[in-house]
Every structure is written in C-alpha cells, then in structure tokens.
Amino acid sequence: MKDKILKYYIEEKKVTPVVANVLMKKILKYEDIAKEFSVYLDTRSFDCENALVIEGYTAKKLSEISPLDAAGVYAFMVTLRDDKEKALDTIKKGFPRK
C-alpha cells in the first residue's frame, strides 16, 4: 500500500521522493484512510463498499463539493478526524483558497 501511494505521488503528481514522503505521511496516519485511498488508486473511483464516513462525509461527497483532487480528498479526511472544527469550517466556507 505504501509503495503504491508513493508511486502515485512521484509518477502522477510529479513530485520528488522527498516531497512524496511528506505528503504521504499524512494519509498514512490512519490505516483505514490509507487503505481506502489505495482502493481508489486501483479503481480510480470513490465508489467503494463500506466507504469511510468521517463527520458525515465520505471521500465521494468531499470530491463532489470541493476542488480537491483524490490525494487532497483523503488528506482532508485526516483533517476531518484530527481537527473537526477547522475542517467543518472549511467546508462551510466552500473550501476557500488563501
């Protein structure tokens, strides 16, 4: 799983291995989120059995309401779990860009 995610960042997002490891670290923080991202990488679909629901949001729902790419969606799911208030405020504000 870790190798698949690393390969995605390097080959598809075109970042260096050092940057890829930094980005990957957030998604790997929670095994369930990392596993679902890995399934996404295999299928390229947010439709999966028993999709994770964090604070009422699935990856599919986040992809529909945000400008985030797949990696961003799963990283945001970590934020939803770690800092619920901040994440829900970001959703409420429509994912504003700085």
Coordinates of all heavy atoms in Angstrom, one line a residue:
M1 N 0.8 -1.2 0.0 CA 0.0 0.0 0.0 C 0.9 1.3 0.0 O 0.6 2.2 -0.8 CB -0.9 0.0 1.2 CG -1.7 1.2 1.4 SD -3.0 1.1 2.7 CE -2.0 0.7 4.2
K2 N 1.9 1.3 0.9 CA 2.7 2.5 1.0 C 3.4 2.7 -0.4 O 3.5 3.9 -0.8 CB 3.7 2.2 2.1 CG 4.6 3.4 2.4 CD 5.5 3.2 3.5 CE 6.5 4.3 3.8 NZ 7.4 4.1 4.9
D3 N 3.9 1.6 -1.0 CA 4.7 1.8 -2.2 C 3.7 2.3 -3.3 O 4.2 3.1 -4.2 CB 5.3 0.5 -2.7 CG 6.4 0.0 -1.8 OD1 7.0 0.9 -1.1 OD2 6.8 -1.2 -1.8
K4 N 2.5 1.9 -3.3 CA 1.5 2.3 -4.3 C 1.3 3.8 -4.2 O 1.2 4.5 -5.2 CB 0.2 1.5 -4.2 CG -0.8 1.8 -5.2 CD -2.2 1.2 -4.9 CE -2.1 -0.3 -4.6 NZ -3.4 -0.9 -4.3
I5 N 1.1 4.2 -3.0 CA 0.8 5.7 -2.7 C 2.0 6.5 -3.1 O 1.9 7.6 -3.7 CB 0.4 5.9 -1.2 CG1 -1.0 5.2 -1.0 CG2 0.3 7.4 -0.9 CD1 -1.4 5.1 0.5
L6 N 3.2 6.0 -2.7 CA 4.5 6.8 -3.0 C 4.6 6.9 -4.6 O 4.9 8.0 -5.1 CB 5.7 6.0 -2.4 CG 7.0 6.7 -2.6 CD1 7.0 8.0 -1.9 CD2 8.1 5.8 -2.1
K7 N 4.4 5.8 -5.3 CA 4.4 5.8 -6.7 C 3.5 6.8 -7.3 O 3.8 7.5 -8.3 CB 4.2 4.4 -7.3 CG 4.3 4.2 -8.7 CD 4.0 2.8 -9.2 CE 4.0 2.7 -10.7 NZ 3.7 1.3 -11.1
Y8 N 2.3 6.8 -6.8 CA 1.2 7.8 -7.3 C 1.8 9.2 -7.2 O 1.7 10.0 -8.1 CB 0.0 7.6 -6.4 CG -1.0 8.8 -6.6 CD1 -1.8 8.9 -7.7 CD2 -1.1 9.8 -5.6 CE1 -2.7 10.0 -7.8 CE2 -2.0 10.8 -5.7 CZ -2.8 10.9 -6.8 OH -3.7 12.0 -7.0
Y9 N 2.3 9.6 -6.0 CA 2.8 10.9 -5.8 C 4.0 11.3 -6.8 O 4.0 12.3 -7.4 CB 3.2 11.2 -4.4 CG 2.1 11.5 -3.5 CD1 1.7 10.7 -2.4 CD2 1.4 12.7 -3.6 CE1 0.7 11.0 -1.6 CE2 0.4 13.1 -2.8 CZ 0.0 12.2 -1.7 OH -1.0 12.5 -0.9
I10 N 4.9 10.3 -6.9 CA 6.0 10.6 -7.8 C 5.7 10.6 -9.2 O 6.1 11.5 -10.0 CB 7.1 9.5 -7.5 CG1 7.7 9.7 -6.0 CG2 8.3 9.6 -8.5 CD1 8.6 8.6 -5.5
E11 N 4.9 9.6 -9.7 CA 4.7 9.4 -11.1 C 3.5 10.3 -11.6 O 3.6 10.8 -12.7 CB 4.4 8.0 -11.5 CG 5.7 7.1 -11.3 CD 5.5 5.7 -11.7 OE1 4.4 5.3 -12.1 OE2 6.4 4.9 -11.5
E12 N 2.5 10.4 -10.8 CA 1.3 11.1 -11.3 C 1.3 12.6 -10.8 O 0.8 13.5 -11.6 CB 0.0 10.4 -10.9 CG -0.1 9.1 -11.6 CD -1.4 8.4 -11.3 OE1 -2.5 9.1 -11.3 OE2 -1.4 7.2 -11.1
K13 N 1.7 12.8 -9.6 CA 1.7 14.2 -9.1 C 3.0 14.9 -9.4 O 3.1 16.1 -9.2 CB 1.4 14.2 -7.6 CG 0.1 13.6 -7.2 CD -1.1 14.1 -8.0 CE -1.6 15.4 -7.5 NZ -2.7 15.9 -8.3
K14 N 4.0 14.1 -9.9 CA 5.3 14.7 -10.4 C 6.0 15.4 -9.3 O 6.5 16.5 -9.5 CB 5.1 15.6 -11.6 CG 4.3 15.0 -12.7 CD 5.1 13.9 -13.4 CE 4.4 13.4 -14.7 NZ 4.7 12.1 -15.0
V15 N 6.1 14.8 -8.1 CA 6.8 15.4 -7.0 C 8.1 14.6 -6.7 O 8.1 13.4 -7.1 CB 6.0 15.6 -5.7 CG1 4.8 16.6 -6.0 CG2 5.5 14.3 -5.2
T16 N 9.0 15.1 -6.1 CA 10.2 14.4 -5.7 C 9.9 13.3 -4.7 O 8.9 13.5 -4.0 CB 11.3 15.3 -5.2 OG1 10.9 15.9 -3.9 CG2 11.7 16.5 -6.2
P17 N 10.8 12.3 -4.5 CA 10.5 11.3 -3.5 C 10.5 12.0 -2.1 O 9.7 11.5 -1.3 CB 11.7 10.4 -3.6 CG 12.1 10.5 -5.1 CD 11.8 11.9 -5.5
V18 N 11.3 13.0 -1.8 CA 11.2 13.6 -0.5 C 9.9 14.3 -0.3 O 9.2 14.1 0.8 CB 12.4 14.7 -0.4 CG1 12.2 15.5 0.9 CG2 13.7 14.0 -0.4
V19 N 9.4 15.0 -1.3 CA 8.1 15.7 -1.1 C 7.0 14.6 -1.1 O 6.0 14.7 -0.3 CB 7.8 16.6 -2.3 CG1 6.4 17.2 -2.3 CG2 8.8 17.8 -2.2
A20 N 7.1 13.6 -1.9 CA 6.1 12.5 -1.9 C 6.0 11.8 -0.5 O 4.9 11.6 0.0 CB 6.5 11.4 -2.9
N21 N 7.1 11.6 0.2 CA 7.1 11.0 1.5 C 6.4 12.0 2.5 O 5.7 11.5 3.4 CB 8.5 10.7 2.0 CG 8.9 9.3 1.5 OD1 8.4 8.3 1.9 ND2 9.9 9.3 0.6
V22 N 6.6 13.3 2.4 CA 6.0 14.2 3.3 C 4.5 14.2 3.1 O 3.7 14.1 4.0 CB 6.5 15.6 3.1 CG1 5.7 16.7 3.8 CG2 8.0 15.7 3.5
L23 N 4.0 14.2 1.8 CA 2.6 14.2 1.5 C 2.0 12.9 1.9 O 0.9 12.9 2.5 CB 2.4 14.5 0.0 CG 2.8 15.8 -0.5 CD1 2.8 15.8 -2.0 CD2 2.0 16.9 0.1
M24 N 2.6 11.8 1.7 CA 2.1 10.5 2.0 C 2.0 10.3 3.5 O 1.1 9.6 4.0 CB 3.1 9.5 1.4 CG 2.6 8.0 1.6 SD 3.7 6.9 0.7 CE 5.2 7.1 1.7
K25 N 2.8 10.9 4.3 CA 2.8 10.7 5.7 C 1.5 11.0 6.3 O 1.0 10.3 7.2 CB 3.9 11.6 6.4 CG 4.1 11.4 7.9 CD 5.2 12.2 8.4 CE 5.4 12.0 9.9 NZ 6.5 12.8 10.4
K26 N 0.8 12.1 5.8 CA -0.5 12.5 6.4 C -1.5 11.4 6.1 O -2.3 11.0 7.0 CB -0.9 13.8 5.8 CG -2.3 14.3 6.4 CD -2.6 15.7 6.1 CE -3.8 16.2 6.8 NZ -4.1 17.6 6.6
I27 N -1.6 10.9 4.9 CA -2.6 9.9 4.6 C -2.3 8.6 5.3 O -3.2 7.9 5.7 CB -2.6 9.7 3.0 CG1 -3.3 10.9 2.4 CG2 -3.4 8.4 2.7 CD1 -3.3 10.9 0.9
L28 N -1.1 8.3 5.5 CA -0.7 7.0 6.2 C -1.0 7.1 7.7 O -0.9 6.1 8.4 CB 0.7 6.7 6.0 CG 1.1 6.2 4.5 CD1 2.6 6.0 4.4 CD2 0.3 5.0 4.1
K29 N -1.3 8.3 8.2 CA -1.5 8.4 9.7 C -2.6 7.5 10.2 O -2.5 6.9 11.3 CB -1.9 9.9 10.0 CG -2.1 10.1 11.5 CD -2.3 11.6 11.7 CE -2.5 11.8 13.2 NZ -2.7 13.2 13.5
Y30 N -3.6 7.3 9.3 CA -4.7 6.4 9.7 C -4.9 5.3 8.7 O -5.1 5.5 7.5 CB -6.1 7.2 9.8 CG -6.1 8.2 10.9 CD1 -6.0 9.5 10.6 CD2 -6.1 7.8 12.2 CE1 -6.0 10.5 11.6 CE2 -6.1 8.8 13.2 CZ -6.1 10.1 12.9 OH -6.0 11.0 13.9
E31 N -4.7 4.0 9.2 CA -4.7 2.9 8.3 C -6.0 2.8 7.4 O -6.0 2.5 6.2 CB -4.5 1.6 9.1 CG -4.3 0.4 8.2 CD -4.0 -0.9 8.9 OE1 -3.7 -0.8 10.2 OE2 -4.0 -1.9 8.3
D32 N -7.1 3.1 8.0 CA -8.4 3.0 7.3 C -8.5 4.0 6.1 O -8.9 3.6 5.0 CB -9.6 3.1 8.2 CG -9.7 4.4 9.0 OD1 -8.7 5.1 9.1 OD2 -10.8 4.6 9.6
I33 N -8.0 5.2 6.3 CA -8.0 6.2 5.3 C -7.0 5.8 4.2 O -7.3 5.9 3.0 CB -7.7 7.6 5.8 CG1 -8.8 8.0 6.7 CG2 -7.4 8.6 4.7 CD1 -8.6 9.3 7.5
A34 N -5.8 5.3 4.6 CA -4.8 4.9 3.6 C -5.3 3.7 2.8 O -5.0 3.7 1.6 CB -3.5 4.5 4.4
K35 N -6.0 2.8 3.4 CA -6.5 1.6 2.7 C -7.5 2.1 1.7 O -7.5 1.6 0.5 CB -7.1 0.6 3.6 CG -6.1 -0.3 4.3 CD -6.8 -1.3 5.2 CE -5.8 -2.2 5.9 NZ -6.4 -3.2 6.8
E36 N -8.4 3.0 2.0 CA -9.4 3.4 1.1 C -8.8 4.2 0.0 O -9.2 4.1 -1.2 CB -10.5 4.3 1.8 CG -11.7 4.5 0.8 CD -12.9 5.1 1.5 OE1 -13.4 4.6 2.5 OE2 -13.4 6.2 1.0
F37 N -7.7 5.0 0.2 CA -7.0 5.7 -0.8 C -6.4 4.7 -1.8 O -6.4 4.9 -3.0 CB -6.0 6.7 -0.2 CG -5.3 7.5 -1.3 CD1 -6.0 8.2 -2.3 CD2 -3.9 7.7 -1.2 CE1 -5.3 8.9 -3.2 CE2 -3.2 8.4 -2.1 CZ -3.9 9.1 -3.1
S38 N -5.8 3.6 -1.2 CA -5.2 2.6 -2.0 C -6.2 1.9 -2.9 O -6.0 1.7 -4.1 CB -4.6 1.6 -1.1 OG -3.9 0.6 -1.9
V39 N -7.4 1.7 -2.4 CA -8.5 1.2 -3.3 C -8.8 2.2 -4.4 O -9.0 1.8 -5.5 CB -9.8 0.8 -2.4 CG1 -11.0 0.5 -3.3 CG2 -9.5 -0.3 -1.5
Y40 N -8.9 3.4 -4.0 CA -9.2 4.5 -5.0 C -8.1 4.4 -6.1 O -8.4 4.5 -7.3 CB -9.2 5.9 -4.4 CG -9.1 6.9 -5.5 CD1 -10.3 7.3 -6.1 CD2 -8.0 7.5 -6.0 CE1 -10.3 8.2 -7.2 CE2 -7.9 8.4 -7.0 CZ -9.1 8.7 -7.6 OH -9.1 9.6 -8.7
L41 N -6.8 4.3 -5.7 CA -5.7 4.2 -6.7 C -5.9 3.0 -7.7 O -5.5 3.1 -8.8 CB -4.4 4.2 -6.0 CG -4.0 5.5 -5.3 CD1 -2.7 5.3 -4.6 CD2 -4.0 6.7 -6.3
D42 N -6.5 1.9 -7.2 CA -6.7 0.7 -8.0 C -7.9 0.9 -8.9 O -7.8 0.5 -10.1 CB -7.0 -0.5 -7.1 CG -5.7 -1.0 -6.4 OD1 -4.6 -0.7 -6.9 OD2 -5.9 -1.7 -5.4
T43 N -8.9 1.6 -8.5 CA -10.2 1.7 -9.2 C -10.4 3.0 -9.9 O -11.2 3.1 -10.8 CB -11.4 1.4 -8.3 OG1 -11.5 2.4 -7.3 CG2 -11.3 0.0 -7.6
R44 N -9.8 4.0 -9.4 CA -10.0 5.4 -9.8 C -11.5 5.8 -9.6 O -12.0 6.6 -10.4 CB -9.5 5.7 -11.2 CG -8.0 5.4 -11.4 CD -7.2 6.2 -10.5 NE -5.8 5.7 -10.4 CZ -4.8 6.5 -10.4 NH1 -4.9 7.8 -10.4 NH2 -3.6 6.0 -10.3
S45 N -12.0 5.3 -8.6 CA -13.4 5.6 -8.2 C -13.6 5.8 -6.7 O -13.0 5.1 -6.0 CB -14.3 4.5 -8.7 OG -15.7 4.7 -8.2
F46 N -14.4 6.8 -6.4 CA -14.7 7.0 -5.0 C -15.8 6.1 -4.5 O -16.1 6.0 -3.3 CB -15.1 8.4 -4.7 CG -13.9 9.4 -4.8 CD1 -13.9 10.3 -5.9 CD2 -12.9 9.5 -3.9 CE1 -12.8 11.1 -6.1 CE2 -11.9 10.3 -4.0 CZ -11.8 11.2 -5.1
D47 N -16.4 5.3 -5.4 CA -17.5 4.4 -5.0 C -16.8 3.1 -4.5 O -16.2 2.4 -5.3 CB -18.3 4.0 -6.2 CG -19.2 5.2 -6.7 OD1 -19.7 5.9 -5.8 OD2 -19.3 5.5 -7.9
C48 N -16.9 2.8 -3.2 CA -16.3 1.6 -2.7 C -17.3 1.1 -1.6 O -18.0 1.8 -1.0 CB -14.9 1.8 -2.1 SG -14.8 2.9 -0.8
E49 N -17.2 -0.2 -1.4 CA -18.0 -0.9 -0.4 C -17.6 -0.4 1.0 O -16.4 -0.2 1.2 CB -17.8 -2.4 -0.4 CG -18.8 -3.1 -1.3 CD -18.7 -4.6 -1.2 OE1 -18.8 -5.1 -0.1 OE2 -18.5 -5.2 -2.2
N50 N -18.5 -0.1 1.8 CA -18.2 0.3 3.2 C -17.3 1.5 3.3 O -16.4 1.6 4.0 CB -17.6 -0.9 4.0 CG -18.5 -2.1 4.0 OD1 -19.7 -2.0 4.3 ND2 -17.9 -3.2 3.7
A51 N -17.7 2.5 2.4 CA -16.9 3.7 2.4 C -16.8 4.4 3.8 O -17.8 4.3 4.6 CB -17.5 4.7 1.4
L52 N -15.6 4.9 4.1 CA -15.5 5.6 5.4 C -16.4 6.8 5.4 O -16.5 7.5 4.5 CB -14.0 6.1 5.5 CG -12.9 5.1 5.7 CD1 -11.6 5.7 5.7 CD2 -13.1 4.4 7.0
V53 N -16.9 7.0 6.6 CA -17.7 8.2 6.9 C -17.1 8.9 8.1 O -17.1 8.4 9.2 CB -19.2 7.9 7.1 CG1 -20.0 9.2 7.4 CG2 -19.8 7.1 6.0
I54 N -16.6 10.1 7.8 CA -16.0 10.9 8.9 C -16.8 12.2 9.0 O -16.8 13.0 8.1 CB -14.5 11.1 8.6 CG1 -13.8 9.8 8.5 CG2 -13.9 12.0 9.8 CD1 -12.3 9.9 8.0
E55 N -17.3 12.4 10.2 CA -18.1 13.6 10.5 C -19.2 13.8 9.4 O -19.5 14.9 9.0 CB -17.3 14.9 10.6 CG -16.3 14.8 11.7 CD -16.9 14.6 13.1 OE1 -18.1 15.1 13.3 OE2 -16.3 14.0 13.9
G56 N -19.8 12.7 8.9 CA -20.9 12.7 7.9 C -20.4 12.8 6.5 O -21.3 12.9 5.6
Y57 N -19.1 12.8 6.2 CA -18.6 13.0 4.9 C -17.8 11.7 4.4 O -17.0 11.2 5.1 CB -17.7 14.2 4.8 CG -18.4 15.5 4.9 CD1 -18.5 16.1 6.2 CD2 -19.0 16.1 3.9 CE1 -19.2 17.3 6.4 CE2 -19.7 17.3 4.0 CZ -19.8 17.9 5.3 OH -20.5 19.0 5.4
T58 N -18.1 11.3 3.2 CA -17.3 10.3 2.5 C -16.4 11.0 1.6 O -16.5 12.1 1.2 CB -18.2 9.3 1.7 OG1 -18.9 10.1 0.7 CG2 -19.3 8.6 2.6
A59 N -15.4 10.2 1.1 CA -14.5 10.7 0.1 C -15.2 11.2 -1.2 O -15.0 12.2 -1.8 CB -13.4 9.7 -0.3
K60 N -16.2 10.4 -1.6 CA -17.0 10.8 -2.7 C -17.7 12.1 -2.5 O -17.7 13.0 -3.4 CB -18.1 9.7 -3.0 CG -18.9 10.0 -4.3 CD -19.8 8.8 -4.6 CE -20.6 9.1 -5.9 NZ -21.4 8.0 -6.3
K61 N -18.3 12.3 -1.4 CA -19.0 13.6 -1.1 C -18.1 14.7 -1.1 O -18.3 15.8 -1.7 CB -19.8 13.5 0.2 CG -20.5 14.7 0.6 CD -21.7 15.0 -0.3 CE -22.5 16.2 0.1 NZ -23.5 16.5 -0.9
L62 N -16.9 14.5 -0.5 CA -15.9 15.6 -0.5 C -15.4 15.9 -1.9 O -15.2 17.1 -2.2 CB -14.7 15.2 0.4 CG -15.0 15.2 1.9 CD1 -13.8 14.6 2.7 CD2 -15.3 16.6 2.4
S63 N -15.3 14.9 -2.7 CA -14.8 15.1 -4.1 C -15.9 15.9 -4.9 O -15.5 16.7 -5.8 CB -14.5 13.8 -4.8 OG -15.7 13.1 -5.2
E64 N -17.1 15.8 -4.5 CA -18.2 16.5 -5.2 C -18.4 17.9 -4.8 O -18.8 18.8 -5.6 CB -19.6 15.7 -5.0 CG -19.6 14.4 -5.6 CD -20.8 13.5 -5.2 OE1 -21.5 13.9 -4.2 OE2 -21.0 12.5 -5.8
I65 N -18.0 18.2 -3.5 CA -18.2 19.6 -3.0 C -17.0 20.4 -2.9 O -17.0 21.6 -2.5 CB -18.9 19.5 -1.6 CG1 -18.0 18.9 -0.6 CG2 -20.3 18.9 -1.7 CD1 -18.5 19.0 0.9
S66 N -15.8 19.9 -3.3 CA -14.6 20.6 -3.1 C -13.8 20.6 -4.4 O -14.0 19.8 -5.3 CB -13.7 19.9 -2.0 OG -13.2 18.7 -2.5
P67 N -12.8 21.5 -4.5 CA -11.9 21.5 -5.7 C -10.7 20.5 -5.5 O -9.8 20.5 -6.3 CB -11.4 22.9 -5.6 CG -11.3 23.3 -4.2 CD -12.5 22.6 -3.6
L68 N -10.7 19.7 -4.5 CA -9.6 18.8 -4.2 C -9.5 17.6 -5.1 O -10.5 17.1 -5.6 CB -9.8 18.3 -2.7 CG -9.8 19.3 -1.6 CD1 -10.2 18.6 -0.3 CD2 -8.5 20.1 -1.5
D69 N -8.2 17.3 -5.4 CA -8.0 16.0 -6.2 C -8.1 14.9 -5.2 O -8.3 15.1 -4.0 CB -6.7 16.1 -6.9 CG -5.5 16.1 -6.0 OD1 -5.6 16.0 -4.8 OD2 -4.3 16.3 -6.5
A70 N -7.9 13.7 -5.7 CA -8.1 12.5 -4.8 C -7.2 12.5 -3.6 O -7.6 12.2 -2.5 CB -7.8 11.2 -5.7
A71 N -5.9 12.8 -3.8 CA -5.0 12.9 -2.7 C -5.4 13.9 -1.7 O -5.4 13.7 -0.5 CB -3.5 13.1 -3.2
G72 N -5.9 15.0 -2.2 CA -6.4 16.1 -1.3 C -7.6 15.7 -0.5 O -7.8 16.0 0.6
V73 N -8.5 14.9 -1.2 CA -9.7 14.5 -0.5 C -9.3 13.6 0.7 O -9.8 13.8 1.8 CB -10.6 13.7 -1.5 CG1 -11.6 12.8 -0.8 CG2 -11.3 14.6 -2.5
Y74 N -8.4 12.6 0.4 CA -8.0 11.7 1.5 C -7.2 12.4 2.6 O -7.4 12.1 3.8 CB -7.4 10.5 1.0 CG -8.4 9.6 0.3 CD1 -8.6 9.6 -1.0 CD2 -9.3 8.8 1.1 CE1 -9.5 8.8 -1.6 CE2 -10.2 8.0 0.5 CZ -10.4 8.0 -0.8 OH -11.3 7.2 -1.4
A75 N -6.4 13.4 2.2 CA -5.7 14.2 3.2 C -6.7 15.0 4.1 O -6.5 15.2 5.3 CB -4.7 15.1 2.6
F76 N -7.7 15.5 3.4 CA -8.7 16.3 4.1 C -9.5 15.4 5.1 O -10.0 15.9 6.1 CB -9.7 17.0 3.1 CG -10.6 18.0 3.8 CD1 -10.0 19.3 4.1 CD2 -11.9 17.8 4.1 CE1 -10.8 20.2 4.7 CE2 -12.7 18.7 4.7 CZ -12.1 19.9 5.0
M77 N -9.7 14.1 4.7 CA -10.4 13.2 5.6 C -9.6 13.1 6.9 O -10.2 13.0 8.0 CB -10.6 11.9 5.0 CG -11.7 11.9 3.9 SD -12.1 10.4 3.1 CE -13.2 9.7 4.4
V78 N -8.3 13.1 6.8 CA -7.4 13.1 8.0 C -7.7 14.4 8.8 O -7.8 14.3 10.1 CB -5.9 13.0 7.7 CG1 -5.0 13.1 8.9 CG2 -5.6 11.6 7.0
T79 N -7.8 15.5 8.2 CA -8.1 16.8 8.8 C -9.4 16.7 9.5 O -9.6 17.2 10.7 CB -8.0 17.9 7.9 OG1 -6.7 18.0 7.2 CG2 -8.2 19.3 8.6
L80 N -10.4 16.1 8.9 CA -11.7 16.0 9.5 C -11.6 15.2 10.8 O -12.3 15.5 11.8 CB -12.7 15.2 8.5 CG -13.6 16.1 7.7 CD1 -14.3 15.2 6.6 CD2 -14.6 16.9 8.5
R81 N -10.8 14.2 10.8 CA -10.7 13.4 12.0 C -9.8 14.1 13.1 O -10.2 14.0 14.3 CB -10.0 12.0 11.6 CG -10.0 11.0 12.8 CD -9.6 9.7 12.3 NE -10.7 9.0 11.7 CZ -10.5 7.8 11.0 NH1 -9.3 7.3 10.8 NH2 -11.5 7.3 10.4
D82 N -8.8 14.8 12.7 CA -7.9 15.4 13.6 C -8.3 16.7 14.1 O -8.0 17.1 15.3 CB -6.5 15.6 13.0 CG -5.7 14.3 12.9 OD1 -6.2 13.2 13.4 OD2 -4.7 14.3 12.2
D83 N -8.9 17.5 13.3 CA -9.3 18.9 13.6 C -10.7 19.2 13.1 O -10.9 20.0 12.1 CB -8.3 19.9 13.1 CG -8.4 21.3 13.7 OD1 -9.4 21.6 14.3 OD2 -7.5 22.1 13.4
K84 N -11.7 18.5 13.6 CA -13.1 18.6 13.1 C -13.6 20.0 12.9 O -14.1 20.3 11.9 CB -14.0 17.8 14.1 CG -15.4 17.9 13.8 CD -16.3 17.1 14.8 CE -16.6 17.9 16.0 NZ -17.7 17.3 16.8
E85 N -13.4 20.9 13.9 CA -13.9 22.2 13.8 C -13.3 23.0 12.6 O -14.0 23.6 11.9 CB -13.7 23.0 15.1 CG -14.3 22.4 16.3 CD -15.8 22.2 16.2 OE1 -16.5 23.1 15.6 OE2 -16.4 21.2 16.6
K86 N -12.0 22.9 12.5 CA -11.4 23.6 11.4 C -11.8 23.0 10.0 O -12.1 23.8 9.1 CB -9.8 23.4 11.5 CG -9.1 24.0 10.3 CD -7.6 23.8 10.5 CE -6.8 24.4 9.3 NZ -5.4 24.0 9.4
A87 N -11.9 21.7 9.9 CA -12.4 21.1 8.7 C -13.8 21.4 8.3 O -14.1 21.8 7.2 CB -12.2 19.6 8.8
L88 N -14.7 21.4 9.3 CA -16.1 21.7 9.1 C -16.2 23.2 8.7 O -17.1 23.5 7.9 CB -16.9 21.3 10.3 CG -17.1 19.8 10.6 CD1 -17.8 19.6 11.9 CD2 -17.7 19.1 9.4
D89 N -15.4 24.0 9.3 CA -15.4 25.5 8.9 C -15.0 25.6 7.5 O -15.6 26.4 6.7 CB -14.5 26.3 9.9 CG -14.7 27.8 9.7 OD1 -15.9 28.2 9.7 OD2 -13.7 28.4 9.5
T90 N -14.0 24.9 7.1 CA -13.5 25.0 5.7 C -14.6 24.5 4.7 O -14.8 25.2 3.7 CB -12.3 24.1 5.5 OG1 -11.2 24.6 6.3 CG2 -11.8 24.0 4.0
I91 N -15.3 23.5 5.1 CA -16.4 23.0 4.2 C -17.5 24.1 4.2 O -18.0 24.4 3.1 CB -17.0 21.7 4.8 CG1 -16.0 20.5 4.6 CG2 -18.3 21.3 4.1 CD1 -16.3 19.3 5.3
K92 N -17.9 24.6 5.3 CA -18.9 25.6 5.4 C -18.6 26.8 4.5 O -19.5 27.4 3.9 CB -19.1 26.1 6.9 CG -20.2 27.1 7.1 CD -20.3 27.4 8.6 CE -21.3 28.5 8.8 NZ -21.3 29.0 10.2
K93 N -17.3 27.2 4.5 CA -16.9 28.4 3.7 C -16.6 28.0 2.2 O -16.2 28.9 1.5 CB -15.6 29.0 4.3 CG -15.8 29.6 5.7 CD -14.5 30.1 6.3 CE -14.8 30.8 7.6 NZ -13.6 31.2 8.2
G94 N -16.9 26.8 1.9 CA -16.7 26.4 0.4 C -15.3 26.2 0.0 O -15.0 26.4 -1.2
F95 N -14.5 25.8 0.9 CA -13.1 25.5 0.6 C -12.4 26.7 0.0 O -11.8 26.7 -1.2 CB -12.9 24.3 -0.4 CG -13.4 23.0 0.2 CD1 -14.7 22.6 0.2 CD2 -12.4 22.1 0.8 CE1 -15.1 21.4 0.8 CE2 -12.9 20.9 1.4 CZ -14.2 20.6 1.4
P96 N -12.3 27.8 0.7 CA -11.7 29.0 0.2 C -10.2 28.8 0.0 O -9.5 28.0 0.7 CB -11.9 30.0 1.3 CG -12.1 29.2 2.6 CD -12.7 27.9 2.1
R97 N -9.7 29.4 -1.0 CA -8.2 29.4 -1.3 C -7.6 30.6 -0.7 O -8.2 31.7 -0.7 CB -8.0 29.4 -2.8 CG -8.7 28.2 -3.5 CD -7.9 27.9 -4.7 NE -8.6 26.8 -5.4 CZ -8.0 25.7 -5.7 NH1 -6.8 25.4 -5.3 NH2 -8.6 24.7 -6.3
K98 N -6.4 30.4 -0.2 CA -5.7 31.5 0.5 C -5.2 32.5 -0.5 O -4.9 32.2 -1.6 CB -4.5 31.0 1.4 CG -5.0 30.2 2.6 CD -3.9 29.8 3.4 CE -4.4 29.0 4.6 NZ -3.4 28.6 5.5

